[in-house]
Amino acid sequence: MSQGWKITIIVLAVVGVLSTPLIWLLDGPGAGQLAGATVQAAVGVAALVWALFQRPSSTGPTDRAVRTGKASRGGVTGIRRPGGQGGGSATAERTGEAGGENSVSGIDYSN
């Protein structure tokens, strides 16, 4: 669940818990109104708890490099993410040899 949706659900849950039950109870409630207010408050609390326990969805691509070739003279055998850019996962398995200055075998997060 994205952060925006999570915030929206939390705000709506809080509004649902506070608004209508409060309005119903201020008018001198009957038994039905009291039961309705209780149910609405419980649903709002349940939505709030559910939203708080949701983890943000993984953003960005999933990069994978397997059995790559040989790097020399500053090359990369694997994955390059300059400055650590990208929000997804990166996996490098059995990458090739890296020979020479600034060559990388695996995942390169440098600038």
Side-chain angles (χ1 to χ4, degrees), residues 9-102:
I9 290 173
I10 290 171
V11 168
L12 290 174
V14 169
V15 168
V17 168
L18 297 178
S19 68
T20 305
L22 190 67
I23 292 169
W24 283 346
L25 296 176
L26 289 177
D27 284 339
Q33 288 178 322
L34 188 56
T38 302
V39 169
Q40 185 166 349
V43 168
V45 169
L48 180 63
V49 169
W50 177 81
L52 290 175
F53 282 105
Q54 294 300 306
R55 297 199 181 264
S57 60
S58 174
T59 57
T62 300
D63 297 328
R64 183 178 165 108
V66 179
R67 295 183 185 183
T68 58
K70 183 177 181 179
S72 61
R73 295 185 310 242
V76 176
T77 65
I79 299 165
R80 173 171 277 169
R81 288 189 174 175
Q85 294 176 347
S89 64
T91 305
E93 298 175 10
R94 293 182 270 168
T95 57
E97 294 180 20
E101 190 174 335
N102 298 324

